[in-house]
Amino acid sequence: FHQCVEESCELATHCLQEASQRKALLIDIHGHGHIDDWIEIGHLIKGSILKKADLELPSPGAEWVRGDKSFGSYLVESSRARRSTVYKVAPSPSIPHPGNKKYFSGGYITRRYRRDGVRTMQLEYPSCYRGEHSKESAPIIADALVRFMNAWGYIADEYMVHSGNSSEMQSRGIKTI
């Protein structure tokens, strides 16, 4: 598994350098069993640090982590457009920090593969968005991801390197390698 991820990171970095881009994005997706049914986005910033004011947040900064151009913001917007119940996402503009509740800030993969040119995020989904509900949540996640990546300049010539199922991305007009 880790050899595949390492090779994907190297390939992404190589392809993006050839396209005069200097950044790639690796997303590690999991499920959580916390009581709260919110989606947790880990940026390797602890929940206690997320309580701080925007100007006090470490790199990559508040706009990336919980601002209007954050992945959490796009997940909320995409869910609002596609379903009757809007996703709760932490961190996001509506939930800027988890308070004192359990929260995954990121783990081994987000730490190991973050490097110059490769940003990482860990997504933790509650059971109410997984399993039989994934047919509903997958298009929302894909839409939010495409919008987030476009906002931050992460789609170079509309190519993505992946190690999983690319059908949703291809259906949105994104070529995969």
Side-chain angles (χ1 to χ4, degrees), residues 20-87:
S20 299
Q21 298 288 323
R22 295 284 186 245
K23 52 189 175 180
L25 179 64
L26 183 143
I27 301 173
D28 187 21
I29 302 175
H30 296 266
H32 72 73
H34 296 158
I35 294 172
D36 296 292
D37 63 346
W38 59 17
I39 297 168
E40 302 171 10
I41 303 175
H43 299 278
L44 296 178
I45 301 172
K46 293 180 180 180
S48 59
I49 302 297
L50 288 172
K51 290 181 182 179
K52 294 184 176 191
D54 286 354
L55 294 175
E56 296 178 52
L57 287 185
S59 179
E63 188 63 18
W64 170 278
V65 173
R66 63 181 178 210
D68 290 338
K69 288 174 48 180
S70 68
F71 185 61
S73 177
Y74 289 118
L75 271 175
V76 170
E77 289 175 18
S78 294
S79 70
R80 182 176 289 121
R82 292 177 176 254
R83 61 192 311 261
S84 58
T85 306
V86 177
Y87 284 179

Side-chain angles (χ1 to χ4, degrees), residues 124-172:
E124 294 281 344
Y125 284 85
S127 61
C128 61
Y129 302 135
R130 300 188 321 255
E132 63 189 47
H133 303 287
S134 63
K135 287 183 181 179
E136 179 185 358
S137 61
I140 293 169
I141 296 164
D143 181 67
L145 180 58
V146 168
R147 293 173 66 211
F148 173 77
M149 291 177 74
N150 277 323
W152 289 95
Y154 274 81
I155 297 179
D157 298 326
E158 297 196 355
Y159 278 91
M160 291 183 70
V161 175
H162 69 92
S163 59
N165 186 336
S166 63
S167 60
E168 181 65 31
M169 292 298 162
Q170 289 173 346
S171 72
R172 308 230 353 116

Side-chain angles (χ1 to χ4, degrees), residues 100-120:
N100 295 324
K101 298 178 180 181
K102 289 187 176 187
Y103 166 75
F104 286 111
S105 61
Y108 178 77
I109 290 174
T110 51
R111 281 190 308 274
R112 177 175 175 178
Y113 297 105
R114 181 172 289 181
R115 59 186 74 153
D116 187 35
V118 178
R119 292 288 310 156
T120 59

